[in-house]
Amino acid sequence: MGSPVTVAEIQAAAHGADSRTVVQLLGLGAWTLVGHVSESPEGWAFRTGESRPALPPSPHGEGLLPGMTVWPVTPRRPRPGRATQVVLVGRSRSNDVVIDHTGVSKLHARIHLADGTCAVEDAGSRNGTSVNGRAVVAETRVRLHNGDMIVFGGVALTVYSTPSLLGIVRKLGPG
């Protein structure tokens, strides 16, 4: 399981290294989630009690900043021999992808990895999950594609295949 890293850390690791080395060094899997988590007053609307997600990078990397967080979408305990691996996403430290934000439930969603693809399902979270602005119905899987915007409660992230993210980071140059 890989721990979250920043875009700047990927930039530094990618400088002069091949993709396989970067993936192993940083513990990246086949898919990543990229964005920024903020509990600042600008990210919270006190009048409505709803958080406004900070804008994640675009599918092609516009808006990708060195300080943004990259979460590897990898299971903490892979299950060899199983066709589908499940990655738990939520606020609790027991999840595979931990997003420390009050709008994210303790167990918010599950991401299913199989045959190079990934799909998300909401785990009955309080604030919901959406993909490209469309709500994900609890217990229903929605296939994710490179560049999709996924919102967990009040946190908006962009889904990238790791090769795609590394290509974008390499175009940005060394950090």
Side-chain angles (χ1 to χ4, degrees):
M1 174 195 78
S3 298
V5 296
T6 64
V7 170
E9 289 173 298
I10 294 175
Q11 283 178 290
H15 184 67
D18 62 66
S19 295
R20 188 176 182 173
T21 301
V22 174
V23 168
Q24 289 175 343
L25 180 68
L26 298 177
L28 302 175
W31 294 92
T32 59
L33 300 172
V34 181
H36 179 71
V37 177
S38 173
E39 290 283 3
S40 69
E42 304 87 53
W44 187 258
F46 289 100
R47 177 178 282 163
T48 63
E50 296 177 9
S51 71
R52 293 185 303 260
L55 290 177
S58 77
H60 303 290
E62 292 92 1
L64 187 67
L65 302 172
M68 285 186 167
T69 303
V70 178
W71 288 267
V73 179
T74 55
R76 206 175 268 210
R77 292 178 274 304
R79 296 186 171 99
R82 293 220 175 155
T84 301
Q85 299 290 319
V86 179
V87 177
L88 304 178
V89 179
R91 196 177 68 246
S92 171
R93 298 274 175 230
S94 64
N95 291 303
D96 303 309
V97 174
V98 178
I99 301 173
D100 191 15
H101 186 279
T102 57
V104 176
S105 296
K106 288 180 183 177
L107 173 59
H108 199 96
R110 294 176 193 89
I111 297 177
H112 300 266
L113 304 171
D115 298 323
T117 67
C118 64
V120 66
E121 73 174 293
D122 187 84
S125 67
R126 181 177 179 158
N127 294 319
T129 301
S130 67
V131 176
N132 297 327
R134 301 183 98 168
V136 176
V137 178
E139 309 302 322
T140 301
R141 293 182 192 177
V142 173
R143 187 166 177 188
L144 297 171
H145 301 91
N146 194 57
D148 283 348
M149 184 174 74
I150 187 166
V151 178
F152 299 111
V155 178
L157 305 171
T158 303
V159 177
Y160 290 108
S161 69
T162 298
S164 177
L165 178 62
L166 290 176
I168 292 167
V169 168
R170 286 185 195 284
K171 287 178 188 173
L172 294 174

